[in-house]
Amino acid sequence: MNCKKCNEQLSLYLDQELSPAEKVQIDQHLESCEACRKEYNELKTVREMLKELPMKELPEGFEAELHEKLVQAKEEVQEQPQKENMVVHLKDHFRRNVKRYSIAAAACLVLVVSYESLGPLGMITSKNATMEMAVEYDDSGMTQAAPRLTLESSSDEAFSDSVDTFNLKVGTADVDGAAPMESEEALPEVFAGGMAEEPAQEVPSVAVTAQNAVPETHRKIIQTGYLSIDIEDYDATLENIIDMTQKMGGYVEDMSTQFQYGYRTENPLKMGHVTIRVPQVQFQGVMRSLDEYGQITDQNMSAEDITYQYRDISNEVANLEVREAKLREIMEKAEEIKDVLQVEQELSRVRGQINSLKGTLIQWDQLVSLSRITINLYEVESLEVKIEPIDNSLLTRIKEAFIRSINNLKYSLENLTLILIALLPFVIVYSIVGFIGWRILRRIIRWVKNRRK
Amino acid sequence: MTDTEKIWLKKSQEGDIESFEKLIAKHQRNVYNIAYRMMGNEEDAKDAAQEALIKIYKSIGKFRGDSGFSTWVYRIAMNACKDELRKKKHNVISLDKEMETEDGTLKHELPDQGLKPDELVEQAELSETIQDAIGKLPEQNRMVIILRDIQGFSYEDISDVMEVPVGTVKSRISRGRKLLKDVLKQHPKWSYEITV
């Protein structure tokens, strides 16, 4: 152990980070070397001085200031929230699945290419699929699901458990927009009945339907609907829907139409979508009446209850307005310019907040008063499924496809020949140059070999 | 991390400020102290510490728990201090360089504070001296010395916070202490300290 090595390890020795063997070596060296001992003591002093430095208390108002900054930061973050997250999320997702996506893309490419070359042949399958979907569809499953409270219990012990569950469910229903009053009243009756009839046996399953209880006027519910319909006459249906919407006092928000499978001359089929906004009261009626136009293949409805958020914001607006009034009072009393300016600043801040909150309320009111329904329309040749005769269509199609393939083969051979001939001048020139070069090279090699010999 | 802290963490990630404040309650004094030692004065320390905590709040959604929460907090705190120091660098006036004016050269001079007999004052002065000495260390050595000798982190923790290998931490600490010793040795009080 020399002084240099010891010097390097002193710091670790101080922190007891050395292995026992290394430690013994340093111990021995320190005993014999005074310079290193001095160095060690000095380092130790430095470390102790640092250790004894007092921990500082947080300055006064640190937490309050931080809180304010956090609130500010939260607002900043919320201004551009999900969008960014969404992009990041998508990016992550994409990065993770690049391989899968590239395979899918390749598959799509292959499909498109084969579709292009096969033409109408490939279409048969997709059209049949649409038909099947229309047939398998069952109307009964698509009616609107009513919010339900279900209570099921198989034994006495489980009964008390299910009481908890039941209460819980009532709470949920409350939020969901059903009437809490009525379901609570119904509760004891249900229980009493179940207990009295079969106390030791199974409690029959009881369903309490808490719907149609209170008129929903004071509730703020944003309703949206989504439908897919197969229809026979696209243009007439679209016209009807638009007519109906306008008569109800609604409007068309968005609309687009295109041809299925691209345009073709013999009976072209259209598809498209239209988004309409209809008054809230008409929502259910419209959803039901759309059934008349054709076969519904897909139907979704959703309702978002924003009553509580709405109430919160309304309250906040009310509070802010009180504050505004107070500020105005202060403003009148204020005499010094400095005070006036300060109050004015605060006033404009409050005013700004009120405006933005009111804007939200108005937007919500619109969303609530006019429900949005998105309708996808698919034109089909006939809503009834019919079996197409196989002989004519299939055989001609096979023939057509075969001829097309032959033609394609012919074209590609032609192109190949064309390319070969076009390249001919290059081939000739390069082969002459290559030939001469090769001869020269060979001669040089032979000459070199001869000289060596 | 305890279960309560996990709940706070989850709520913080959803943007809840109160939970976040609870979550960092036990760290913020450490963060402030680290910042104080890094920056050298209370005002800058407060700014840097708050900047760090805001950054932590903003990026807490990205915290995946693959490293310890405290390590992650101190890493952000360190980086925030580095940023603040970099920002400040442009505003620092050098004491060594002479300012040239039309009337000749001007030299910056600090008032001589002298020594005061009162022991309490002496105590305060010593910590000021040490603080000055820490401020003179290169940034990398300053960081490890603060974490190791003032905050008492282990070598592994420091390696995690700084994202450098343990070997590097060892050599930086060793070098930092030596530099610090050399600076402190020049102080008149040094001999006094040694004997005590």
Side-chain angles (χ1 to χ4, degrees), chain A residues 51-147:
Chain A
K51 238 184 206 161
E52 276 162 20
L53 281 178
M55 273 281 270
K56 283 241 162 209
E57 288 297 331
L58 287 176
E60 226 172 277
F62 181 89
E63 280 166 338
E65 203 175 314
L66 180 67
H67 183 84
E68 222 161 86
K69 285 185 183 171
L70 283 172
V71 172
Q72 223 173 334
K74 189 179 182 181
E75 275 166 17
E76 271 171 39
V77 171
Q78 272 175 349
E79 269 169 29
Q80 5 133 355
Q82 283 120 2
K83 208 173 177 186
E84 228 169 61
N85 285 347
M86 198 87 139
V87 171
V88 171
H89 181 80
L90 279 178
K91 264 189 198 161
D92 276 359
H93 181 75
F94 187 73
R95 211 170 292 142
R96 256 181 273 128
N97 296 318
V98 165
K99 225 175 199 174
R100 254 184 259 169
Y101 280 123
S102 36
I103 291 171
C108 284
L109 198 71
V110 169
L111 272 180
V112 168
V113 168
S114 53
Y115 180 87
E116 286 289 316
S117 61
L118 288 176
L121 245 184
M123 226 176 60
I124 297 170
T125 45
S126 64
K127 201 168 87 182
N128 281 357
T130 332
M131 291 292 199
E132 263 167 46
M133 230 166 72
V135 173
E136 277 174 19
Y137 162 77
D138 180 10
D139 197 17
S140 64
M142 296 293 174
T143 49
Q144 192 209 2

Side-chain angles (χ1 to χ4, degrees), chain A residues 10 32 36 73 78 109 307 372:
Chain A
L10 270 181
S32 61
C36 285
Q78 272 175 349
L109 198 71
T307 315
R372 178 183 279 127

Side-chain angles (χ1 to χ4, degrees), chain B:
Chain B
M1 217 174 202
T2 64
D3 285 347
T4 350
E5 280 176 320
K6 274 180 195 156
I7 294 169
W8 288 338
L9 174 65
K10 196 147 183 291
K11 279 196 177 167
S12 311
Q13 286 176 330
E14 286 158 8
D16 185 45
I17 292 176
E18 260 173 51
S19 304
F20 178 73
E21 283 167 340
K22 282 181 200 152
L23 188 64
I24 53 152
K26 73 173 184 190
H27 297 298
Q28 57 186 5
R29 193 156 159 233
N30 280 337
V31 168
Y32 173 71
N33 270 277
I34 289 174
Y36 176 68
R37 297 299 168 197
M38 282 298 286
M39 310 300 294
N41 66 68
E42 290 174 13
E43 191 57 29
D44 288 342
K46 192 189 77 184
D47 288 347
Q50 291 192 340
E51 188 63 29
L53 291 168
I54 303 262
K55 265 187 196 157
I56 292 166
Y57 173 73
K58 278 185 179 167
S59 51
I60 199 160
K62 287 178 210 146
F63 177 69
R64 291 276 170 264
D66 40 10
S67 65
F69 182 70
S70 55
T71 315
W72 181 73
V73 165
Y74 295 123
R75 186 182 308 147
I76 295 184
M78 274 296 173
N79 287 332
C81 288
K82 272 201 260 177
D83 289 347
E84 288 287 307
L85 280 175
R86 213 148 291 150
K87 264 190 242 161
K88 274 179 58 70
K89 229 173 215 171
H90 305 288
N91 310 328
V92 172
I93 306 164
S94 168
L95 292 180
D96 308 329
K97 270 190 193 156
E98 291 169 349
M99 252 181 20
E100 297 209 5
T101 64
E102 285 171 12
D103 307 328
T105 55
L106 281 180
K107 214 175 167 182
H108 288 284
E109 270 181 27
L110 293 178
D112 185 3
Q113 291 173 334
L115 294 172
K116 282 154 210 163
D118 195 340
E119 226 180 82
L120 203 75
V121 177
E122 267 176 17
Q123 183 65 39
E125 260 178 26
L126 182 66
S127 61
E128 259 170 46
T129 312
I130 299 171
Q131 178 67 56
D132 281 353
I134 294 172
K136 281 178 187 154
L137 290 178
E139 211 173 88
Q140 291 182 335
N141 301 99
R142 200 187 320 166
M143 287 196 267
V144 287
I145 290 291
I146 290 170
L147 291 177
R148 172 70 215 166
D149 286 339
I150 301 180
Q151 298 288 329
F153 279 48
S154 73
Y155 279 67
E156 281 75 26
D157 285 347
I158 297 173
S159 143
D160 283 347
V161 171
M162 313 268 300
E163 297 184 294
V164 294
V166 176
T168 314
V169 174
K170 284 179 182 168
S171 62
R172 280 184 190 170
I173 289 178
S174 174
R175 169 133 184 85
R177 281 179 182 158
K178 274 188 193 131
L179 286 171
L180 207 53
K181 186 197 72 185
D182 290 343
V183 176
L184 286 175
K185 247 171 138 177
Q186 292 163 9
H187 196 266
K189 288 264 225 38
W190 172 256
S191 51
Y192 160 80
E193 261 304 312
I194 273 282
T195 50
V196 168

Side-chain angles (χ1 to χ4, degrees), chain A residues 174-194:
Chain A
D174 185 6
V175 177
D176 280 344
M181 291 264 290
E182 183 155 77
S183 51
E184 266 163 29
E185 272 168 22
L187 189 65
E189 282 172 33
V190 168
F191 276 19

